[in-house]
Amino acid sequence: MHLLEQVSSFQNLHSAFLECSKGKRKTLGYMDTLFGVGETLLSISGQLQTGKYSWGNYREFYVTDPKQRLVMAAPFVDRIVHHAIHRVIEPIIDKTLCDSVFACRKGKGNRYAVLYLKQALDILGRDRYVIKLDVRKYFMSISHRILMREIERFLPDDSLKRLLETLLESYPAYAIASRGIPIGNLTSQLFANFYLSSADRMACELLNLDYNWLQNKALIKDGFYIRYMDDLVILAKEKRKARDVADTLHTHISEYLELDVPFYKKVSLSNDPVPFLGYVLSEEGVRPLSRNHRRHIKQMRRLEKQQALPSQKNQVRLSYMAWCDIEEGKKPDHTLAGC
């Protein structure tokens, strides 16, 4: 069965509907779709199979956490299709990703990324050199042409090509620029994880790190590499090695992937503590960034003014405590030092 047939099957669309209904049962989009959901899914299936599916308009809003970002929320029916596509291609794409990639993946996430980075720092000790790279405006800079070129190499057939192209063109401004994927789409998370995978492979080769080090329980040899979306961290025992790897990745990301890693987002940390995903890590331990503490204080004061319920205040308090006690929580199933 071709990929398009898998995506457009009624069973897959129904499962996608159930998935994107979670937490949305009070929204108008869900309630409008629920009435006559069978007919709606059959209609979507037919449109997908004939190549006539038309994407709707996005609802836009800003979030600040901590940087301000424009989020594009797709209509509920479109989100069903996003989930349907994701259900089929995510297992294929995820197998191609390096074990060093932790964002938006089953069994991973920011907590595990921080814990593994802390393990690497413990193993390498103070005799190490760290460099961080960060892509400027990552989601809005992803090239549609390059993304399609790379993703087609791993899909077993090209039946989804046109649907994926129309998905990338579904936000008008990005369609004109042929560049950018909407923050808010489930498929965008998968595409953004995948887009830098060629850089991941290069980093592992240069650092003599197994591409699938989690599965193979590999030892740290010359260094370590970890990525959370567009935040890249390079660790090496020698300063020259770390700089050579960072320079090579910078060139690859700039020229091959056509992304911008500006000077101020290429940070040499030497053996100083490493800020990563809201934490500061060193051989001595892990602590939340000061801004997270300030944000917690502001949240609690705001809830006090609003006379929020004790349960609401407790939820915020527990969320902050999860930041503070990360070293006390669940450890990774495998260690970087092997078994």
Side-chain angles (χ1 to χ4, degrees):
M1 184 183 292
H2 288 171
L3 295 177
L4 181 59
E5 293 176 301
Q6 296 178 47
V7 169
S8 61
S9 72
F10 184 87
Q11 182 179 5
N12 185 56
L13 289 169
H14 185 257
S15 297
F17 166 73
L18 295 177
E19 286 178 0
C20 67
S21 297
K22 296 176 182 177
K24 301 294 182 182
R25 296 182 184 275
K26 293 183 180 180
T27 64
L28 289 176
Y30 168 79
M31 290 186 283
D32 288 344
T33 306
L34 184 62
F35 182 75
V37 63
E39 291 81 359
T40 300
L41 297 182
L42 285 173
S43 176
I44 294 173
S45 177
Q47 293 173 50
L48 290 173
Q49 291 174 18
T50 57
K52 295 180 179 179
Y53 185 79
S54 179
W55 303 96
N57 297 323
Y58 287 89
R59 177 175 59 88
E60 300 178 355
F61 57 93
Y62 285 94
V63 297
T64 304
D65 189 27
K67 294 186 293 185
Q68 189 180 70
R69 303 178 189 274
L70 177 62
V71 177
M72 301 83 162
F76 186 83
V77 171
D78 282 0
R79 290 204 296 273
I80 295 174
V81 181
H82 292 162
H83 276 261
I85 294 172
H86 189 271
R87 285 174 54 80
V88 171
I89 68 172
E90 187 271 340
I92 301 170
I93 298 301
D94 192 72
K95 289 179 182 178
T96 71
L97 298 181
C98 175
D99 283 349
S100 292
V101 180
F102 279 81
C104 307
R105 299 181 71 188
K106 295 176 183 177
K108 294 194 174 184
N110 61 345
R111 186 179 183 87
Y112 274 98
V114 171
L115 288 170
Y116 276 115
L117 180 55
K118 177 63 171 64
Q119 280 194 12
L121 291 171
D122 289 343
I123 293 170
L124 294 176
R126 295 287 296 173
D127 186 22
R128 45 84 176 170
Y129 200 89
V130 179
I131 298 179
K132 285 187 63 181
L133 302 178
D134 190 355
V135 179
R136 180 176 178 271
K137 296 182 178 179
Y138 181 48
F139 274 70
M140 67 183 300
S141 301
I142 290 175
S143 165
H144 297 175
R145 172 182 55 82
I146 295 174
L147 176 60
M148 289 302 301
R149 178 192 72 195
E150 295 298 301
I151 207 168
E152 285 175 6
R153 295 170 52 207
F154 296 99
L155 297 182
D157 61 66
D158 63 355
S159 60
L160 281 181
K161 181 178 180 180
R162 183 55 191 155
L163 179 61
L164 294 180
E165 288 175 340
T166 60
L167 171 57
L168 295 176
E169 297 166 356
S170 60
Y171 186 69
Y174 292 166
I176 294 171
S178 295
R179 187 177 293 274
I181 55 178
I183 296 176
N185 284 354
L186 178 64
T187 48
S188 293
Q189 298 173 1
L190 180 63
F191 294 155
N193 256 352
F194 172 76
Y195 195 80
L196 282 167
S197 57
S198 59
D200 301 332
R201 189 172 296 277
M202 183 175 292
C204 290
E205 290 175 357
L206 294 172
L207 290 167
N208 196 24
L209 178 68
D210 212 340
Y211 192 75
N212 299 118
W213 52 265
L214 261 178
Q215 299 172 32
N216 300 332
K217 303 179 183 178
L219 298 168
I220 283 186
K221 299 174 184 176
D222 300 330
F224 186 65
Y225 167 80
I226 197 164
R227 174 167 71 87
Y228 194 91
M229 204 55 77
D230 63 318
D231 289 340
L232 294 73
V233 182
I234 301 158
L235 296 84
K237 293 181 179 179
E238 299 177 359
K239 178 178 179 179
R240 177 176 293 180
K241 182 70 172 179
R243 287 192 168 180
D244 287 346
V245 173
D247 289 343
T248 303
L249 290 186
H250 186 279
T251 300
H252 177 80
I253 291 170
S254 301
E255 297 181 359
Y256 186 75
L257 299 177
E258 298 180 6
L259 298 172
D260 181 25
V261 182
F263 175 77
Y264 67 91
K265 286 183 176 284
K266 182 180 178 182
V267 183
S268 296
L269 295 165
S270 183
N271 60 0
D272 293 335
V274 181
F276 185 60
L277 302 181
Y279 295 93
V280 178
L281 299 88
S282 68
E283 296 74 15
E284 283 71 40
V286 182
R287 64 172 176 82
L289 286 172
S290 298
R291 72 184 183 208
N292 293 315
H293 178 70
R294 293 193 298 269
R295 188 187 310 164
H296 172 67
I297 297 299
K298 287 180 181 179
Q299 283 181 312
M300 294 304 295
R301 287 174 178 170
R302 184 166 60 249
L303 290 174
E304 289 288 350
K305 282 185 178 181
Q306 296 171 351
Q307 297 182 337
L309 295 171
S311 59
Q312 292 175 296
K313 290 187 283 188
N314 194 47
Q315 185 176 3
V316 173
R317 191 177 295 109
L318 289 173
S319 177
Y320 177 69
M321 287 172 62
W323 284 85
C324 296
D325 66 354
I326 186 169
E327 287 192 288
E328 313 301 326
K330 184 179 178 182
K331 299 294 184 180
D333 295 328
H334 305 109
T335 65
L336 297 176
C339 294

